[in-house]
Amino acid sequence: MQLKVTSWNINSVRLRIGLVERFLIEQKPDVLCLQEIKCRDAEFPLKDFRKLGYEHIAINGQKGYHGVAIVSRLPIEEINKREFCEKGDARHISVNLAPIKGKPITIHNFYIPAGGDEPDPAINEKFAHKLQFLDELQEWTKTSKLAKDNSILVGDLNIAPLEHDVWSHKALLSVVSHTPKETEKLTKIYQAGPWIDAIRHFIPADQKAYSWWSYRSPNWLESDRGRRLDHIWLSKALASKLTSIDIFKEARGWERPSDHAPISAVLDLSKSDKTKT
DNA sequence: ATGGTGGTCCTACCA
């Protein structure tokens, strides 16, 4: 029994529903976690997903900005949404899948604040918000089962934590998304889980890996100044089930693309729990 | 050092 989970910041699900359909048909994930759907719940294009067999859908929408959703071919038993920083932003949703091979799996989908341009919380309220969001996530990790049992955390975390998650470590140390203030907080959350970084499980830390390329570079492919802002983390119990990952860079080159590529992980849930990785 | 592009929804805000 294979489970393929994908995370994709779609930057308007209504505008790019054609690209989403193409991805679902060609890449066949079982569960697709979307960020920046940029619509209210009632405006989400349910029918387009249902006709492709994705009948189980959880939405935390918002007018114009942000918004996250999870669409699934597999039954969803429970949906939860958590608010952070008391701002009313739609930046989290989680689902409990019906047990697969006896395993109940929880998937958390996050859209962490981008944080604006100036990496100083004293003068940039957006960066202060990002840091506060990370502090609340750290607290939640401590007091909940977030990383326990069979859990998957995905999303646009808007942070590239490792040196080779950005095209130039040195140049980006002062650029929001790669500053020590953020990367240290994210690393603490990651270690506290503890989580397994699915992408880095297969791509060594000394090799470049990106999931996002700015719209502001017309030659994004040749210049390749990317960042790894999107992540798939697995709880320890699921780490031994991980069989492959993919950063589907091709979609960044499709017509009128999102600036993020979809990232996927495939788990083999029929594998023994005792398998070493 | 600067400006580069794109989405939402009407004017500026967010990324």
Side-chain angles (χ1 to χ4, degrees):
Chain A
M1 174 65 209
Q2 303 257 85
L3 176 70
K4 180 171 181 175
V5 177
T6 298
S7 175
W8 194 6
N9 179 321
I10 194 60
N11 188 17
S12 175
V13 69
R14 288 178 294 174
L15 187 71
R16 286 185 239 288
I17 187 62
L19 301 188
V20 176
E21 288 180 42
R22 179 174 171 189
F23 179 80
L24 293 174
I25 290 165
E26 292 183 7
Q27 299 300 314
K28 302 179 174 56
D30 297 292
V31 180
L32 173 62
C33 301
L34 296 167
Q35 303 88 36
E36 281 206 272
I37 60 174
K38 291 189 172 177
C39 65
R40 301 175 184 94
D41 289 14
E43 298 163 333
F44 192 84
L46 288 171
K47 282 181 200 155
D48 298 289
F49 288 97
R50 286 184 177 142
K51 78 182 181 200
L52 294 176
Y54 295 82
E55 294 173 22
H56 311 278
I57 300 176
I59 311 166
N60 186 8
Q62 182 176 337
K63 182 183 178 181
Y65 306 112
H66 322 313
V68 289
I70 300 177
V71 301
S72 173
R73 297 207 280 214
L74 306 168
I76 290 170
E77 286 196 335
E78 190 180 321
I79 300 170
N80 288 290
K81 305 163 192 183
R82 188 181 177 94
E83 190 186 343
F84 288 80
C85 308
E86 297 179 334
K87 284 182 72 92
D89 285 357
R91 295 181 178 276
H92 167 265
I93 192 165
S94 69
V95 297
N96 297 344
L97 298 181
I100 305 164
K101 290 269 176 182
K103 293 180 179 60
I105 291 178
T106 302
I107 302 176
H108 290 273
N109 181 16
F110 280 94
Y111 177 50
I112 290 183
D117 288 331
E118 184 58 53
D120 179 354
I123 58 171
N124 174 9
E125 184 277 327
K126 288 177 196 164
F127 193 62
H129 175 215
K130 185 177 198 175
L131 297 178
Q132 187 191 341
F133 193 105
L134 291 166
D135 286 340
E136 287 189 20
L137 187 48
Q138 168 81 38
E139 276 304 306
W140 194 29
T141 300
K142 276 198 257 174
T143 59
S144 73
K145 291 174 44 166
L146 187 59
K148 306 296 185 297
D149 303 326
N150 299 302
S151 296
I152 304 173
L153 185 157
V154 312
D156 176 3
L157 307 186
N158 266 313
I159 297 172
L162 304 179
E163 182 176 343
H164 294 289
D165 291 340
V166 294
W167 64 275
S168 168
H169 175 60
K170 198 178 164 191
L172 289 177
L173 274 173
S174 58
V175 173
V176 171
S177 72
H178 194 59
T179 67
K181 278 195 176 71
E182 325 158 56
T183 58
E184 284 167 15
K185 282 186 191 294
L186 188 69
T187 300
K188 271 187 190 159
I189 293 163
Y190 174 75
Q191 290 173 342
W195 295 99
I196 306 303
D197 180 337
I199 304 298
R200 283 298 181 191
H201 192 77
F202 289 95
I203 304 178
D206 62 354
Q207 287 180 30
K208 297 291 183 189
Y210 314 136
S211 63
W212 173 89
W213 293 262
S214 171
Y215 282 129
R216 296 177 189 180
S217 174
N219 59 336
W220 67 275
L221 188 59
E222 300 80 62
S223 58
D224 200 25
R225 296 184 167 190
R227 305 178 202 170
R228 190 170 71 103
L229 304 180
D230 305 275
H231 300 270
I232 300 176
W233 292 354
L234 307 175
S235 65
K236 278 244 162 133
L238 287 180
S240 62
K241 314 291 187 286
L242 179 61
T243 56
S244 68
I245 58 98
D246 180 51
I247 301 176
F248 195 67
K249 188 177 176 181
E250 177 190 318
R252 180 61 180 81
W254 286 351
E255 196 177 339
R256 287 254 262 167
S258 166
D259 44 356
H260 294 254
I263 61 169
S264 302
V266 178
L267 307 181
D268 184 352
L269 297 173
S270 54
K271 267 192 183 175
S272 158
D273 283 332
K274 288 168 187 162
T275 305
K276 289 265 183 183
T277 51

